[in-house]
Amino acid sequence: MMYHIAICDDEIEFVSELKDLLKRYSGETGIELMIAEYRNGQELIENYDTTTDLIFLDIQMNKMDGLTAAGKIRELDEEVSIIFLTSLKQYALEGYQYQAVNYIVKPMKYIRLKTEMNSWIERHRHKNPYIVVQNDRGSFKVAVSKLHYVETYKRNLLLHTDDGDVICYKNMKEMEKELSLYGFFRCHVGFLVNLSFVKNVEKLDVELTSGETVYVSKPKRKKFMEVLAGYWGKML
């Protein structure tokens, strides 16, 4: 798996050093990292990529400081992890109101970065999984636990989530393969449903806990009921 890392700091030399440390970590562990650089909080917000997994965010910067940027980031992305960078410990404590993972006091040593990355990756692997979808507005993270079902929509897909509907340019076959790992079942040529949201099945109507209804095709109903029974059995 590749992790998307952002570094937001106005000290060019420090950014270069941190990139070298991250590349060293990637080389030692075999974990792929894609690294993006931003010079200040304003640049980060204006060009924010919602596929970012972790941000190293300096607290003291010109144009827009790290704390202000963190507040705006949380409006865009509730899932991304933030590690604050600072030269003064007292500033770091303010960062926890933005659900920061931790803070690192500059200058940074490799052993500290390695410890922090190991800890973050271990926690990240146990977090709620998400998928990344693309449409004409950009790329977006969709938490699997918030995704009720997927349906075909014209030549695209429509993802129904806790936070509303999202258009996706993948095809149903691709989405089925990606979501089959997380308890989704393609109950109809046009529907891929999250089994954790299924409340009741009556004939060919599948009622969801969200109040929505999807449909199961006659050829797939028997298999769907078997899979659903197995899923419910594991939940007991």
Side-chain angles (χ1 to χ4, degrees), residues 131 134 157 168-180 186 192:
I131 59 172
Q134 289 83 32
L157 300 178
C168 173
Y169 289 161
K170 293 182 181 179
N171 61 51
M172 186 63 90
K173 188 175 182 179
E174 292 173 325
M175 190 63 74
E176 180 183 11
K177 182 178 180 181
E178 189 170 3
L179 289 175
S180 63
R186 191 172 180 181
L192 181 63

mmCIF file of all heavy atoms in Angstrom, residues 131 134 157 168-180 186 192:
data_model
loop_
_atom_site.group_PDB
_atom_site.id
_atom_site.type_symbol
_atom_site.label_atom_id
_atom_site.label_comp_id
_atom_site.label_asym_id
_atom_site.label_seq_id
_atom_site.Cartn_x
_atom_site.Cartn_y
_atom_site.Cartn_z
ATOM 1 N N ILE A 131 -12.072 4.179 0.679
ATOM 2 C CA ILE A 131 -11.717 4.072 -0.730
ATOM 3 C C ILE A 131 -11.561 5.482 -1.272
ATOM 4 O O ILE A 131 -12.088 6.449 -0.702
ATOM 5 C CB ILE A 131 -12.785 3.304 -1.536
ATOM 6 C CG1 ILE A 131 -14.147 3.990 -1.443
ATOM 7 C CG2 ILE A 131 -12.878 1.859 -1.083
ATOM 8 C CD1 ILE A 131 -15.204 3.399 -2.367
ATOM 9 N N GLN A 134 -12.862 9.244 -7.777
ATOM 10 C CA GLN A 134 -12.599 10.431 -8.580
ATOM 11 C C GLN A 134 -13.841 10.833 -9.368
ATOM 12 O O GLN A 134 -14.582 9.979 -9.844
ATOM 13 C CB GLN A 134 -11.458 10.178 -9.581
ATOM 14 C CG GLN A 134 -10.078 10.060 -8.971
ATOM 15 C CD GLN A 134 -9.771 8.674 -8.445
ATOM 16 O OE1 GLN A 134 -10.259 7.679 -8.989
ATOM 17 N NE2 GLN A 134 -8.988 8.587 -7.395
ATOM 18 N N LEU A 157 -21.008 5.662 -11.448
ATOM 19 C CA LEU A 157 -21.567 5.083 -10.232
ATOM 20 C C LEU A 157 -22.010 6.197 -9.303
ATOM 21 O O LEU A 157 -21.450 7.298 -9.306
ATOM 22 C CB LEU A 157 -20.520 4.216 -9.519
ATOM 23 C CG LEU A 157 -19.944 3.031 -10.286
ATOM 24 C CD1 LEU A 157 -18.892 2.322 -9.438
ATOM 25 C CD2 LEU A 157 -21.048 2.055 -10.690
ATOM 26 N N CYS A 168 -18.928 8.704 -8.871
ATOM 27 C CA CYS A 168 -17.635 8.041 -9.009
ATOM 28 C C CYS A 168 -17.473 7.563 -10.445
ATOM 29 O O CYS A 168 -18.404 7.024 -11.041
ATOM 30 C CB CYS A 168 -17.543 6.857 -8.045
ATOM 31 S SG CYS A 168 -16.072 5.843 -8.245
ATOM 32 N N TYR A 169 -16.254 7.744 -11.003
ATOM 33 C CA TYR A 169 -16.012 7.387 -12.389
ATOM 34 C C TYR A 169 -15.515 5.946 -12.589
ATOM 35 O O TYR A 169 -15.213 5.555 -13.698
ATOM 36 C CB TYR A 169 -15.008 8.357 -13.014
ATOM 37 C CG TYR A 169 -15.564 9.752 -13.237
ATOM 38 C CD1 TYR A 169 -14.727 10.839 -13.426
ATOM 39 C CD2 TYR A 169 -16.937 9.977 -13.267
ATOM 40 C CE1 TYR A 169 -15.234 12.112 -13.634
ATOM 41 C CE2 TYR A 169 -17.455 11.233 -13.464
ATOM 42 C CZ TYR A 169 -16.595 12.309 -13.654
ATOM 43 O OH TYR A 169 -17.106 13.562 -13.858
ATOM 44 N N LYS A 170 -15.422 5.171 -11.518
ATOM 45 C CA LYS A 170 -15.050 3.765 -11.678
ATOM 46 C C LYS A 170 -16.256 2.994 -12.216
ATOM 47 O O LYS A 170 -17.391 3.466 -12.160
ATOM 48 C CB LYS A 170 -14.630 3.164 -10.338
ATOM 49 C CG LYS A 170 -13.341 3.732 -9.780
ATOM 50 C CD LYS A 170 -12.971 3.055 -8.467
ATOM 51 C CE LYS A 170 -11.687 3.651 -7.905
ATOM 52 N NZ LYS A 170 -11.301 3.037 -6.611
ATOM 53 N N ASN A 171 -16.003 1.791 -12.725
ATOM 54 C CA ASN A 171 -17.139 0.967 -13.143
ATOM 55 C C ASN A 171 -17.498 -0.009 -12.015
ATOM 56 O O ASN A 171 -16.746 -0.178 -11.056
ATOM 57 C CB ASN A 171 -16.841 0.224 -14.451
ATOM 58 C CG ASN A 171 -15.653 -0.723 -14.355
ATOM 59 O OD1 ASN A 171 -15.574 -1.545 -13.446
ATOM 60 N ND2 ASN A 171 -14.722 -0.627 -15.302
ATOM 61 N N MET A 172 -18.650 -0.640 -12.154
ATOM 62 C CA MET A 172 -19.166 -1.487 -11.078
ATOM 63 C C MET A 172 -18.255 -2.690 -10.814
ATOM 64 O O MET A 172 -18.084 -3.109 -9.660
ATOM 65 C CB MET A 172 -20.582 -1.948 -11.402
ATOM 66 C CG MET A 172 -21.254 -2.722 -10.280
ATOM 67 S SD MET A 172 -21.500 -1.729 -8.765
ATOM 68 C CE MET A 172 -23.123 -1.030 -9.083
ATOM 69 N N LYS A 173 -17.667 -3.224 -11.854
ATOM 70 C CA LYS A 173 -16.784 -4.386 -11.681
ATOM 71 C C LYS A 173 -15.574 -4.019 -10.828
ATOM 72 O O LYS A 173 -15.172 -4.776 -9.938
ATOM 73 C CB LYS A 173 -16.340 -4.908 -13.047
ATOM 74 C CG LYS A 173 -15.579 -6.227 -12.978
ATOM 75 C CD LYS A 173 -15.277 -6.753 -14.374
ATOM 76 C CE LYS A 173 -14.546 -8.097 -14.298
ATOM 77 N NZ LYS A 173 -14.260 -8.628 -15.669
ATOM 78 N N GLU A 174 -14.995 -2.857 -11.082
ATOM 79 C CA GLU A 174 -13.852 -2.386 -10.295
ATOM 80 C C GLU A 174 -14.251 -2.157 -8.847
ATOM 81 O O GLU A 174 -13.540 -2.546 -7.912
ATOM 82 C CB GLU A 174 -13.304 -1.083 -10.886
ATOM 83 C CG GLU A 174 -12.643 -1.220 -12.231
ATOM 84 C CD GLU A 174 -12.274 0.118 -12.832
ATOM 85 O OE1 GLU A 174 -13.028 1.105 -12.642
ATOM 86 O OE2 GLU A 174 -11.230 0.194 -13.497
ATOM 87 N N MET A 175 -15.405 -1.534 -8.652
ATOM 88 C CA MET A 175 -15.866 -1.228 -7.304
ATOM 89 C C MET A 175 -16.209 -2.501 -6.535
ATOM 90 O O MET A 175 -15.927 -2.613 -5.342
ATOM 91 C CB MET A 175 -17.088 -0.308 -7.376
ATOM 92 C CG MET A 175 -17.507 0.261 -6.030
ATOM 93 S SD MET A 175 -16.250 1.331 -5.280
ATOM 94 C CE MET A 175 -16.425 2.788 -6.303
ATOM 95 N N GLU A 176 -16.813 -3.459 -7.215
ATOM 96 C CA GLU A 176 -17.149 -4.729 -6.573
ATOM 97 C C GLU A 176 -15.890 -5.427 -6.071
ATOM 98 O O GLU A 176 -15.848 -5.941 -4.937
ATOM 99 C CB GLU A 176 -17.886 -5.634 -7.562
ATOM 100 C CG GLU A 176 -18.267 -6.987 -6.979
ATOM 101 C CD GLU A 176 -18.924 -7.889 -8.008
ATOM 102 O OE1 GLU A 176 -18.898 -7.557 -9.220
ATOM 103 O OE2 GLU A 176 -19.463 -8.941 -7.600
ATOM 104 N N LYS A 177 -14.850 -5.434 -6.878
ATOM 105 C CA LYS A 177 -13.591 -6.071 -6.489
ATOM 106 C C LYS A 177 -12.976 -5.364 -5.291
ATOM 107 O O LYS A 177 -12.483 -6.007 -4.349
ATOM 108 C CB LYS A 177 -12.614 -6.043 -7.669
ATOM 109 C CG LYS A 177 -11.289 -6.724 -7.380
ATOM 110 C CD LYS A 177 -10.388 -6.713 -8.615
ATOM 111 C CE LYS A 177 -9.058 -7.394 -8.316
ATOM 112 N NZ LYS A 177 -8.164 -7.376 -9.516
ATOM 113 N N GLU A 178 -13.034 -4.035 -5.282
ATOM 114 C CA GLU A 178 -12.428 -3.258 -4.195
ATOM 115 C C GLU A 178 -13.192 -3.399 -2.887
ATOM 116 O O GLU A 178 -12.604 -3.487 -1.816
ATOM 117 C CB GLU A 178 -12.370 -1.787 -4.613
ATOM 118 C CG GLU A 178 -11.575 -0.905 -3.674
ATOM 119 C CD GLU A 178 -11.339 0.484 -4.237
ATOM 120 O OE1 GLU A 178 -11.838 0.781 -5.347
ATOM 121 O OE2 GLU A 178 -10.648 1.272 -3.574
ATOM 122 N N LEU A 179 -14.513 -3.466 -2.965
ATOM 123 C CA LEU A 179 -15.333 -3.471 -1.752
ATOM 124 C C LEU A 179 -15.686 -4.865 -1.248
ATOM 125 O O LEU A 179 -16.204 -4.998 -0.132
ATOM 126 C CB LEU A 179 -16.618 -2.677 -1.996
ATOM 127 C CG LEU A 179 -16.437 -1.163 -2.126
ATOM 128 C CD1 LEU A 179 -17.761 -0.506 -2.497
ATOM 129 C CD2 LEU A 179 -15.905 -0.558 -0.821
ATOM 130 N N SER A 180 -15.412 -5.884 -2.019
ATOM 131 C CA SER A 180 -15.737 -7.246 -1.578
ATOM 132 C C SER A 180 -14.969 -7.624 -0.318
ATOM 133 O O SER A 180 -15.392 -8.500 0.444
ATOM 134 C CB SER A 180 -15.439 -8.246 -2.699
ATOM 135 O OG SER A 180 -14.053 -8.247 -3.019
ATOM 136 N N ARG A 186 -22.749 -7.750 -4.394
ATOM 137 C CA ARG A 186 -23.458 -7.252 -5.578
ATOM 138 C C ARG A 186 -24.737 -8.060 -5.743
ATOM 139 O O ARG A 186 -24.750 -9.138 -6.328
ATOM 140 C CB ARG A 186 -22.567 -7.361 -6.809
ATOM 141 C CG ARG A 186 -23.135 -6.611 -8.015
ATOM 142 C CD ARG A 186 -22.133 -6.570 -9.147
ATOM 143 N NE ARG A 186 -22.658 -5.851 -10.302
ATOM 144 C CZ ARG A 186 -21.982 -5.683 -11.440
ATOM 145 N NH1 ARG A 186 -20.755 -6.189 -11.557
ATOM 146 N NH2 ARG A 186 -22.524 -5.016 -12.445
ATOM 147 N N LEU A 192 -24.629 -2.601 -5.430
ATOM 148 C CA LEU A 192 -23.609 -3.215 -4.593
ATOM 149 C C LEU A 192 -23.873 -2.713 -3.180
ATOM 150 O O LEU A 192 -23.746 -1.522 -2.899
ATOM 151 C CB LEU A 192 -22.214 -2.777 -5.074
ATOM 152 C CG LEU A 192 -20.982 -3.306 -4.355
ATOM 153 C CD1 LEU A 192 -20.879 -4.826 -4.488
ATOM 154 C CD2 LEU A 192 -19.722 -2.653 -4.926
#
